[in-house]
Amino acid sequence: MFLDILSMLKAQGLDTTKKIKIARNQDPRLDKNTGIHEVYANGEFELYQSYQEQDRFKNCIYLVSCLGMEHSQALFVGVYEVKGKIRVNGFPEDIDVSYQGKSKIDSKYKYDLVKVNGFEELEDRLIIKWDGVPSSWFRYLDEENSKEVIQLLPKGYIREFPGYLDFVLPFRQLKKIMKDPIGNKIWHDSLSALAGIYLIVDNKTGDQYVGSAYGENGILGRWKEYARMGHGGNAMLKELLAIDPNYANNFSFTILQTLPKTLSDIEVIAKEKNYKNKLGTRAFGLNLN
């Protein structure tokens, strides 16, 4: 006997007498920097799932949407009512999304999916086991074919901390992680433990900015400033946000090198300058000096 997702959704008010499908979204056509979790973080997921190459969501009233994770797991992100569909000829070329030209190119259906309220306490927290064939990414969900719940993440949790040098963090996720130190304790503890050299990439233009973080709160302290202001006080980033206050949503953050907090600011800045020289971010990027 195990706790399953259908029972938990039913307890939250889902009418389980209706036809329901569950989907584990995981798209190999997307590269690491625009994977399905980044699509979700960018606020593009609902548009993404509404376009399909085949009539995936026919004959169902509700769609339980999840994001694929490692080890045949999935993260629940919401319940949608399937209101209808229309035939389309591909994905619109005039819509600016991170997966443009990479996925949904051959879409033939666009679904009218309306998110159902009442499941917010479980969204972004409930992890299920996706047993069976992992490549089978959608199926009917009923009492005989429910999915085992293996974890309920803390409230405010955004994503796993994979190690200092193994992530690319979209600005939207950075803001949420900085805002909730309890739900993202490992991020806060890890980033505050070390100084370092970091890289900001403007995903719209490809321009790069190299920065350094030092002092008592290490990388965490510096990144909190970006989460608060968007530009972190950097001149060229401020110019971009002056034109478009939401421009920071194009930024992604990563760490180039970690350093002990015992190093002086002069020593850290010297390493920062070395990366600027290597990457050419003064001449071709967003660093002024």
Side-chain angles (χ1 to χ4, degrees), residues 230-245:
H231 52 68
N234 306 127
M236 294 186 73
L237 302 188
K238 287 174 73 174
E239 290 180 7
L240 293 172
L241 267 70
I243 298 170
D244 178 2

Side-chain angles (χ1 to χ4, degrees), residues 74-87:
L75 175 68
F76 168 72
V77 295
V79 175
Y80 294 83
E81 185 175 358
V82 183
K83 292 284 193 177
K85 66 187 175 189
I86 59 173
R87 291 295 297 257

Side-chain angles (χ1 to χ4, degrees), residues 97-134:
V97 289
S98 62
Y99 52 87
Q100 181 64 261
K102 300 175 182 178
S103 181
K104 305 299 180 179
I105 300 171
D106 299 320
S107 295
K108 294 181 175 59
Y109 298 89
K110 183 181 187 297
Y111 292 88
D112 181 11
L113 302 174
V114 177
K115 194 166 190 181
V116 181
N117 295 325
F119 305 98
E120 293 81 6
E121 285 293 308
L122 303 179
E123 291 172 11
D124 305 330
R125 299 180 62 202
L126 195 67
I127 297 179
I128 62 173
K129 181 179 179 182
W130 194 266
D131 51 356
V133 182

Side-chain angles (χ1 to χ4, degrees), residues 17 32-33 50 53 60 81 83 107 124 148 158 187 197-198 207 214 219 223 235 251:
T17 65
K32 187 174 182 181
N33 292 338
S50 70
E53 288 85 354
C60 72
E81 185 175 358
K83 292 284 193 177
S107 295
D124 305 330
E148 181 180 358
I158 300 302
W187 281 93
I197 311 301
Y198 59 86
D207 288 336
Y214 44 84
I219 298 169
W223 282 11
F251 299 156

Side-chain angles (χ1 to χ4, degrees), residues 206-219:
D207 288 336
Q208 299 179 340
Y209 176 89
V210 172
S212 60
Y214 44 84
E216 181 180 356
N217 293 316
I219 298 169

Side-chain angles (χ1 to χ4, degrees), residues 265-278:
D265 55 351
I266 295 174
E267 291 173 302
V268 175
I269 292 171
K271 293 184 179 295
E272 175 191 3
K273 289 180 178 178
N274 188 39
Y275 275 101
K276 290 176 182 177
N277 292 335
K278 287 182 176 182

